Amino acid sequence: MQIREHKVFPDEFPEEWASDWGEDEYGLWMGFTYKGVRQDFRWIEPGKFLMGSPEDEPERDSSDVWAETQHEVALTQGFWLADTTVTQALWEAVMGDNPSHFKGENRPVDQVSWEDAQRFIAKMNGMKAELKLCLPTEAEWEYCCRAGTTTPFYFGEQISSELVNFDGNNPYNKGRKSEYREKTVEVKSLPPNDWGLYEMHGNLWEWCQDWLGDYPAEPLVDPQGAEAGSRRVLRGGSWISFGRFCRSAFRFGDGPSVGYDSYGFRLARGHRAARSGQ
C-alpha cells in the first residue's frame, strides 16, 4: 500500500479532541466520536489549482447566470474536511431529530437548509470549541473534489452509476445510461477520490459557506466568495441530477432557508471557523 506523501503537515497532530487518528494511502486523518457516532476528517494541504472549467468542456453552458470562468486559486493554509457528508446518525445525536426524507442512520442527512447546517455547526462548536467546525468555502470544496485532477469529474471524463449516485437515465456527454436509484445511498457506498473523500459527485448537493456570486477572471488567494447575495452555494449534484450537474466545476445556489431532499452538507474545520454564519 502506497501512502500519500505530504509536504505540509498540520500544526498539531493528533489534536486532543480526536478519538482516533492515523495515516493511510490517502493521507492523514482524525476521527471525532460523539455519542458513539464517528466522523472522520482528512488533512487537506494548501495548494494552487484552476477553479472553474475550460470553455471547451462538454456540456458546459457559458450562458449560465453564474459562469464557470476558469481562474487560478491559491489556498495558503491547510485545513481538515470530513470524508463524508453529515449522516443522519450524527445529526440525530447532536440535534435530537431527523428531518430526512430518505431515512437511514448511515445515509446523509437531507432536507437541511444552509441555516440548518449553521445551527448544527454552532451547537457542535458550543459543545467542543476546539473542533472549529465550519462549512468549506466554494473554492475549498472544488479543490477537494478535484483532488489534483483537471477533468470534468475526479474519475476522469465520464461517470456511471457504479461511481456516482445520479440520474443515470440522463448521462454526461453521450455516455451510456446506467441505474437511476431515485434516492440517496449510504455514505461510503461508492469509491472515494484520491484524497479519501466520498460522494463528492452526486448523492446530495452540498452547502458551502459562500454567497453565490460571479467569478473574477484574475487569480485569487484564499477567496471567500461574494460579500453579499440572496443564494448560498451548493456543489456536487445529487441523486436526482443529470450528469452535467455533477461536474467538479458546476455551480448552483439556493436561498439559505431552503432545504430539499437533495440538499445536505459536509463539515470542514480550521482557521475560518470564526466566520461561520456570516
Side-chain angles (χ1 to χ4, degrees):
M1 180 181 294
Q2 184 176 1
I3 302 295
R4 181 183 169 205
E5 294 185 3
H6 286 281
K7 297 179 181 179
V8 180
F9 289 87
D11 293 336
E12 181 182 357
F13 180 80
E15 297 185 38
E16 291 185 0
W17 54 263
S19 57
D20 46 358
W21 57 88
E23 184 177 13
D24 58 19
E25 69 268 34
Y26 303 114
L28 300 177
W29 59 271
M30 290 193 293
F32 172 73
T33 303
Y34 180 69
K35 294 185 177 179
V37 183
R38 175 173 149 176
Q39 175 67 72
D40 287 344
F41 291 86
R42 290 279 173 186
W43 171 243
I44 308 298
E45 292 186 7
K48 292 182 179 180
F49 76 110
L50 285 178
M51 187 172 182
S53 62
E55 293 183 2
D56 61 353
E57 183 165 292
E59 298 203 42
R60 176 192 195 266
D61 186 356
S62 297
S63 67
D64 282 350
V65 176
W66 294 283
E68 302 163 12
T69 306
Q70 198 168 53
H71 58 292
E72 183 180 276
V73 169
L75 299 177
T76 63
Q77 299 188 59
F79 59 98
W80 295 86
L81 188 73
D83 64 345
T84 70
T85 49
V86 171
T87 63
Q88 294 174 38
L90 183 57
W91 177 278
E92 194 160 358
V94 174
M95 305 300 284
D97 61 7
N98 185 354
S100 303
H101 175 71
F102 300 109
K103 292 291 196 288
E105 63 177 17
N106 290 321
R107 283 182 170 173
V109 64
D110 65 66
Q111 293 195 143
V112 286
S113 67
W114 185 92
E115 292 171 352
D116 292 333
Q118 298 298 335
R119 289 193 299 109
F120 176 92
I121 288 168
K123 190 165 183 178
M124 287 201 74
N125 284 338
M127 294 187 293
K128 192 170 284 291
E130 58 267 35
L131 281 173
K132 301 177 184 177
L133 295 174
C134 54
L135 291 176
T137 65
E138 183 177 18
E140 289 170 344
W141 191 96
E142 186 171 327
Y143 178 65
C144 292
C145 179
R146 289 188 177 279
T149 65
T150 58
T151 46
F153 310 95
Y154 61 64
F155 297 110
E157 300 286 346
Q158 192 53 265
I159 54 171
S160 69
S161 295
E162 287 76 38
L163 301 172
V164 174
N165 184 27
F166 75 115
D167 180 357
N169 291 325
N170 290 277
Y172 175 69
N173 191 30
K174 302 177 183 178
R176 67 175 178 84
K177 290 187 177 183
S178 55
E179 182 182 4
Y180 177 26
R181 297 179 178 90
E182 302 185 60
K183 59 186 177 183
T184 59
V185 297
E186 292 187 355
V187 300
K188 299 188 179 182
S189 292
L190 299 167
N193 69 9
D194 286 345
W195 292 357
L197 304 170
Y198 291 87
E199 288 98 35
M200 293 198 74
H201 295 305
N203 216 27
L204 286 181
W205 288 101
E206 299 183 18
W207 288 108
C208 295
Q209 181 63 27
D210 311 29
W211 290 109
L212 185 63
D214 293 335
Y215 280 165
E218 67 272 9
L220 295 176
V221 176
D222 298 325
Q224 304 295 311
E227 293 184 1
S230 60
R231 300 186 181 195
R232 295 285 185 174
V233 172
L234 287 153
R235 285 302 210 105
S238 74
W239 61 270
I240 202 172
S241 298
F242 291 7
R244 69 176 291 256
F245 301 123
C246 298
R247 292 178 298 115
S248 298
F250 188 81
R251 311 184 69 210
F252 179 57
D254 210 338
S257 63
V258 177
Y260 292 120
D261 59 10
S262 55
Y263 293 1
F265 67 103
R266 182 183 306 256
L267 297 169
R269 60 174 308 276
H271 60 281
R272 290 184 308 97
R275 296 185 73 254
S276 187
Q278 293 181 1

